[in-house]
Amino acid sequence: MTRIASHRGGTLNYGDSTPTGFRATAALPLEEVEFDVHPSRDGAIMVHHDATLDRTTDRSGALIDSTEAEIRAARINYGVDEHPMSLAELCAIYQDSTVNLRCEFKPDQNGIPYSDFVPKVIEELSRCGLLERTGFSSFLVANLDEIARHSSRPFLWLVSPPVQKQLGIATVIELAQNHCIPEIGLNIDHTDSDAMAQITGAGLDFGCWAAHSGAQIRKALTLGVKVFTTDRPHLAIEVRNTFNHEATK
């Protein structure tokens, strides 16, 4: 069965990376919750999509230049008086949930990987007892190399449409194999059965991201991808249930 990953805790249902969204996702009949991590200036691991607070909160500034207290003081847009949370707090929500974690390593505001950040996140997940339920992802191959050096947990390469267009699927596959990357994720609007066949034919797992509309979700299900991320987990569950019911007729 194609797996559903609630992207940032269901952005279009609950707001971007909100505690409410993560708590709601923990109780949903889906398989994964996707979230992003950044370090604060004083070494905290914070769950937030962007490298800065500017777009999704009432404050501004890069997370790496802000203290944990300053980040926590920011109010998330469209949330119900909610603030960014730490990785440990997110882990506490999922301790008793059947939903597994999908942790994405983002770059800093200049597009550069954070120095020595990957092992700290892995250590924190282990301390919280959830490392064995966590998979990792990144758009940056350097981050994926770092993950492989510090953990045996699964990870995937999120390939952006510009990179996919510039390199072509064959070169994407070659790079993945050269870096021992076991899984590739493409944007749902930039993939088809041919791309999937090339990737899986090379022995790699294949998934999609940004499947937010009913048509996009149904496309992912029709392709039979391993997993897709969605900002609308409730819709994804509904569409998957209907799709599976139709398939059994």
Side-chain angles (χ1 to χ4, degrees), residues 226-239:
K226 177 183 176 182
V227 60
F228 66 88
T229 61
T230 179
D231 283 351
R232 301 175 71 184
H234 291 282
L235 177 63
I237 293 166
E238 178 185 340
V239 172

Side-chain angles (χ1 to χ4, degrees), residues 136-215:
F136 297 101
S137 66
S138 184
F139 285 94
L140 303 180
V141 172
N143 274 338
L144 301 177
D145 289 340
E146 190 77 354
I147 292 166
R149 282 193 288 270
H150 293 278
S151 172
S152 60
R153 296 299 301 156
F155 58 91
L156 67 97
W157 181 18
L158 298 166
V159 179
S160 68
V163 169
Q164 179 182 341
K165 182 177 180 180
Q166 180 182 12
L167 298 181
I169 293 297
T171 302
V172 166
I173 291 171
E174 182 181 359
L175 278 170
Q177 292 173 329
N178 289 343
H179 288 266
C180 298
I181 296 169
E183 183 174 345
I184 290 172
L186 300 183
N187 182 286
I188 187 65
D189 291 333
H190 295 265
T191 192
D192 52 28
S193 58
D194 181 61
M196 179 175 172
Q198 290 183 65
I199 291 168
T200 58
L204 305 176
D205 287 333
F206 177 70
C208 291
W209 47 278
H212 309 315
S213 71

Side-chain angles (χ1 to χ4, degrees), residues 47-64:
V47 175
H48 192 72
H49 179 266
D50 295 4
T52 71
L53 296 167
D54 302 40
R55 184 181 64 87
T56 61
T57 79
D58 64 350
R59 299 207 174 193
S60 61
L63 274 73
I64 189 63

Side-chain angles (χ1 to χ4, degrees), residues 1-4 29-31 217-226 228 235-249:
M1 181 177 66
T2 295
R3 299 167 65 86
I4 297 171
L30 48 71
E31 291 70 43
I217 293 165
R218 182 166 282 272
K219 178 181 177 180
L221 294 168
T222 300
L223 286 171
V225 304
K226 177 183 176 182
F228 66 88
L235 177 63
I237 293 166
E238 178 185 340
V239 172
R240 184 173 68 176
N241 287 342
T242 300
F243 183 88
N244 290 341
H245 178 71
E246 292 171 351
T248 60
K249 285 184 178 180

Side-chain angles (χ1 to χ4, degrees), residues 68-79:
E68 179 180 3
E70 289 169 339
I71 295 168
R72 287 181 179 278
R75 284 187 171 86
I76 302 172
N77 300 337
Y78 309 111

